[in-house]
Amino acid sequence: MKKNVLFPVACFLMAAPLLTSCHDDVDSSTAENTTIHTYSLVADGANALQQEPATRVLSEDADHKIKSEWGRQDDILAYVVGGDNLHTANYSYITNSNLGGKSNFDGEIASSAALTTNSEIAFLYPGKAAQGNNRTITPVTETEERSSLYHEASNKTQDRVELKLTEQDGTAETIGERFDFQWTKQKPKKVEGKKVDISLGELKRIVTIWGLRFTDENNRPLENIDSIYISNVKGSDILDLDSGKYINNNEEDEVMNIVLRPKTGTKFSSKDGKYTYVAFIPGAYTDVVVTAYVGGKVLQRSYDSLNFETGKVYRSDILKMEDTQQKAFVEVQGIQWATGNFIHYEENGQQYWGIAPAQWWISRRAVMLGSNRKEVSSGGILQSSQFESGPEQTTDDVDLFRFGSIANALTFRGIAGLDVWGENEISQKISSDGKHGDIAWYYTRNNKRKYRMPTETELKSLYTVANVIPAYCYTDKGTIVYGAFFTNNSTNDADKRKKAFPTKAKRYDKYTNVTALVRANKGLFLPITGRRSDGAAKIGYRDMVYSLGAYGQYMSSTAAALNWDFFFGPTEWNFSKNSKGQAKAIRPVFIEESSTGSDNTFAPFANIK
């Protein structure tokens, strides 16, 4: 791994909201007998800056330097803290109605108690980031539904807010408008009747900014960049308005990924010294991955460790980025897992049995669906089968298999109980007639890269020990596939793992985009696949819209009368015995890459990454 050299720049920025949550908010209603005191608040912001220039709206000049100035109608969120506990529909805001160096703000502020010069008021900039459908500042409350510290969105004002920076457009201007979070807490200088005068003092920037430039493998500046992923840096966290500090020990609230997509009709470019900017939560990070998507190429650079300090702006040149290739395996808890499920696929008269071309692969990965969520020939929306109503498995696109079934693996109906093998452990075993056994081993044993089914013990390590978060990947068709992303728990202590399952149904906001990490072979992604019932072609429990929850059901090579399976999903997290006649997903284990044999290329997979 290469170490990065970061160049802190003595300039400071500001920012904005982007992603909305797809779930019900927690209702923290204001008590009916609460008295609300409303005051006219005038705030002097002349000394609110950490340094000159004394302004807020950001832009980049011809020399690629950041410049800024106050924008008309700049808002700052204002909230009375210190036990006030006023829960209303909206926060209070103060607004700058001038341009240039003027920095007087005014507005109204609500409080459940009468304000005095000993009252404390927290201010958070930019206030517009807490307003509208695309806000990036969202009030939250702590929930007791989980054993670990976790917060839910609230539809009332709270003293804790989520700051979300997971989707940005790479420009200093947008950071200045919506993501450059700054905080202070002050006491009024004077309270006269319903008028309050206060000085904002010094606003503290609580994010860091990173400016990036890239070159290709020939050290030429990258152009026409479609998107950029920054993985394993914090793209969201919970801020305590009272202290101005981020909440500790709340890993389930944190999203460790940021996606940069250029404004409509444009591309990112490093030509002529141009920078692409990203804002995120400061901290010391390990295994940071920067990914640039350029046409059909996926260029990446990984760093063992990087440290970003609060309030600073860094600039880096990431040179000679390399196109990535799918590896034979990813290692989690000492087990070398294949980088795709076992599948059967046919296209243009060609047939393939083996490891899928990507970890996110599921059957019917891109289907045109109409308003009834059934397949249509035109006029629908291209989605994965996780959003299809009642999808059926077809013999040309198979990702679910019965225990021990080889010869009849492509026969779905009316065969379940008649197609079983009496062996209790089938990993790397095949019956004498070749009709039953470990299907992954059967079809890869003569390849250079050889695989087998995982045993109960191996599969159970994901259930009991490995770190896991809800995650999703974009497919080659632009559709989304949801699943679980597993990484190594170096402590091997189940009590010290990170586990964020289950999530509840339709909580898509709790899933992290790990497309770039999966592409970089930085973890194990298991898609939510559902299963086929005994003797059926219909795929059940794959539907992510289903209110009782979809799930992934992954098969081990171990059984008695029943087969040991691993379940995970919005409402599932268990390891149990189930019918051998059910068809389930298989994520094989890598055995070896031999010097003999061949892995024949399959033309339809040539451009899938």
Side-chain angles (χ1 to χ4, degrees):
M1 296 286 186
K2 297 182 180 179
K3 299 285 186 180
N4 192 21
V5 179
L6 300 177
F7 303 97
V9 178
C11 61
F12 296 86
L13 319 182
M14 307 283 295
L18 226 121
L19 198 62
T20 56
S21 301
C22 300
H23 57 80
D24 296 328
D25 292 335
V26 174
D27 183 6
S28 300
S29 302
T30 305
E32 292 183 4
N33 58 354
T34 299
T35 300
I36 299 178
H37 300 265
T38 303
Y39 294 84
S40 174
L41 179 65
V42 177
D44 177 8
N47 299 315
L49 299 153
Q50 295 175 317
Q51 65 172 56
E52 295 297 327
T55 55
R56 283 298 183 275
V57 178
L58 301 177
S59 60
E60 189 179 28
D61 65 18
D63 296 321
H64 310 296
K65 294 181 180 179
I66 296 297
K67 62 180 183 178
S68 55
E69 60 184 4
W70 282 115
R72 188 184 299 275
Q73 302 300 317
D74 262 347
D75 283 354
I76 299 177
L77 182 154
Y79 185 73
V80 179
V81 294
D84 186 76
N85 297 322
L86 179 64
H87 304 301
T88 58
N90 298 294
Y91 285 105
S92 300
Y93 300 94
I94 54 175
T95 303
N96 174 42
S97 57
N98 302 301
L99 280 175
K102 303 279 186 179
S103 51
N104 288 322
F105 291 78
D106 58 69
E108 291 187 343
I109 187 169
S111 173
S112 63
L115 294 182
T116 71
T117 53
N118 288 320
S119 300
E120 292 183 316
I121 302 174
F123 297 93
L124 183 62
Y125 183 93
K128 285 185 172 61
Q131 304 172 57
N133 293 329
N134 293 325
R135 64 186 184 273
T136 52
I137 300 175
T138 302
V140 295
T141 57
E142 184 178 341
T143 178
E144 297 181 356
E145 291 184 1
R146 303 194 183 189
S147 57
S148 58
L149 181 58
Y150 183 71
H151 294 80
E152 296 275 7
S154 172
N155 59 7
K156 303 294 182 182
T157 59
Q158 307 290 338
D159 59 2
R160 291 184 179 183
V161 293
E162 178 190 51
L163 304 184
K164 198 155 193 175
L165 306 93
T166 51
E167 294 192 9
Q168 302 176 38
D169 67 9
T171 66
E173 291 86 350
T174 298
I175 289 176
E177 293 166 1
R178 308 184 66 187
F179 296 101
D180 190 21
F181 301 119
Q182 300 185 36
W183 173 93
T184 190
K185 182 174 69 173
Q186 302 294 336
K187 294 181 179 180
K189 295 187 296 183
K190 182 169 57 175
V191 178
E192 292 182 347
K194 291 296 182 179
K195 182 179 180 181
V196 177
D197 287 339
I198 198 169
S199 174
L200 290 178
E202 183 179 286
L203 284 170
K204 175 187 176 184
R205 178 166 285 104
I206 53 177
V207 297
T208 192
I209 312 291
W210 195 8
L212 299 169
R213 295 188 298 200
F214 309 95
T215 67
D216 62 16
E217 60 270 20
N218 298 313
N219 214 27
R220 296 172 300 196
L222 274 184
E223 301 180 68
N224 298 312
I225 303 171
D226 299 304
S227 61
I228 298 167
Y229 285 62
I230 317 292
S231 302
N232 287 336
V233 299
K234 202 179 295 183
S236 72
D237 206 352
I238 306 301
L239 178 74
D240 176 28
L241 288 175
D242 194 355
S243 66
K245 296 181 179 180
Y246 294 106
I247 301 299
N248 293 322
N249 303 315
N250 62 320
E251 287 188 342
E252 290 192 41
D253 291 316
E254 301 165 356
V255 175
M256 301 297 291
N257 185 74
I258 298 172
V259 181
L260 306 181
R261 293 189 176 89
K263 294 180 178 179
T264 302
T266 67
K267 302 275 189 178
F268 294 130
S269 174
S270 296
K271 188 178 180 180
D272 300 325
K274 292 179 182 178
Y275 284 92
T276 300
Y277 291 97
V278 58
F280 50 91
I281 310 298
Y285 297 111
T286 58
D287 207 15
V288 176
V289 180
V290 180
T291 306
Y293 287 79
V294 186
K297 291 186 175 182
V298 184
L299 307 178
Q300 291 187 325
R301 178 62 48 79
S302 298
Y303 300 96
D304 292 333
S305 62
L306 294 174
N307 185 55
F308 298 94
E309 296 182 15
T310 301
K312 289 189 176 180
V313 177
Y314 296 83
R315 296 178 190 263
S316 297
D317 291 329
I318 302 182
L319 307 177
K320 296 185 176 181
M321 296 186 76
E322 302 168 350
D323 198 3
T324 59
Q325 302 297 326
Q326 184 186 34
K327 292 185 177 179
F329 63 86
V330 291
E331 187 167 322
V332 176
Q333 302 313 128
I335 300 162
Q336 296 178 339
W337 299 94
T339 49
N341 286 353
F342 182 80
I343 64 168
H344 170 258
Y345 190 74
E346 297 179 35
E347 187 174 322
N348 298 327
Q350 300 177 76
Q351 185 173 207
Y352 176 84
W353 291 88
I355 306 305
Q359 292 205 59
W360 45 255
W361 183 280
I362 60 173
S363 59
R364 301 177 66 78
R365 71 190 189 280
V367 187
M368 187 72 71
L369 301 178
S371 57
N372 62 351
R373 301 199 298 122
K374 296 287 187 180
E375 186 174 10
V376 294
S377 58
S378 63
I381 299 174
L382 196 64
Q383 293 183 283
S384 79
S385 55
Q386 290 182 338
F387 292 89
E388 184 177 10
S389 178
E392 289 204 1
Q393 193 102 90
T394 55
T395 57
D396 61 344
D397 190 5
V398 184
D399 59 350
L400 303 173
F401 301 88
R402 293 184 300 274
F403 182 85
S405 176
I406 296 177
N408 292 316
L410 299 184
T411 302
F412 305 148
R413 293 183 173 88
I415 193 171
L418 306 176
D419 186 37
V420 296
W421 194 29
E423 290 286 327
N424 290 338
E425 178 54 68
I426 66 171
S427 184
Q428 219 168 329
K429 294 180 181 179
I430 301 171
S431 65
S432 57
D433 60 6
K435 293 183 177 180
H436 296 92
D438 181 344
I439 194 170
W441 168 242
Y442 180 86
Y443 281 105
T444 65
R445 57 186 168 159
N446 296 320
N447 294 352
K448 287 179 68 67
R449 292 179 175 179
K450 307 177 193 302
Y451 298 87
R452 60 173 174 80
M453 291 176 63
T455 65
E456 173 196 353
T457 300
E458 290 168 332
L459 196 58
K460 209 165 192 174
S461 70
L462 301 178
Y463 172 65
T464 59
V465 182
N467 296 320
V468 58
I469 61 170
Y472 67 90
C473 290
Y474 281 95
T475 73
D476 62 314
K477 302 293 186 180
T479 57
I480 292 176
V481 171
Y482 289 88
F485 185 65
F486 299 85
T487 54
N488 197 54
N489 175 6
S490 59
T491 69
N492 280 316
D493 185 343
D495 293 332
K496 295 181 180 179
R497 74 189 302 200
K498 179 177 181 178
K499 173 180 166 289
F501 271 100
T503 62
K504 295 183 180 179
K506 296 186 280 190
R507 294 298 300 271
Y508 310 121
D509 60 303
K510 296 303 178 185
Y511 289 73
T512 297
N513 184 340
V514 295
T515 308
L517 286 173
V518 168
R519 176 66 183 172
N521 305 288
K522 293 295 185 180
L524 175 67
F525 180 75
L526 299 184
I528 288 173
T529 53
R531 59 101 177 98
R532 298 198 322 264
S533 296
D534 298 54
K538 184 177 179 180
I539 301 172
Y541 295 99
R542 182 176 289 193
D543 188 352
M544 288 293 291
V545 179
Y546 182 45
S547 60
L548 296 182
Y551 55 70
Q553 184 176 349
Y554 280 74
M555 176 168 50
S556 77
S557 62
T558 309
L562 300 172
N563 175 214
W564 281 105
D565 298 329
F566 173 32
F567 291 79
F568 62 85
T571 60
E572 288 283 346
W573 187 264
N574 69 80
F575 203 91
S576 62
K577 289 182 177 180
N578 300 276
S579 169
K580 292 180 179 180
Q582 291 180 358
K584 315 145 191 179
I586 301 172
R587 178 57 62 95
V589 171
F590 178 70
I591 301 172
E592 64 176 357
E593 185 162 356
S594 63
S595 58
T596 60
S598 64
D599 292 325
N600 295 325
T601 57
F602 187 60
F605 292 164
N607 296 316
I608 295 177
K609 297 182 177 181

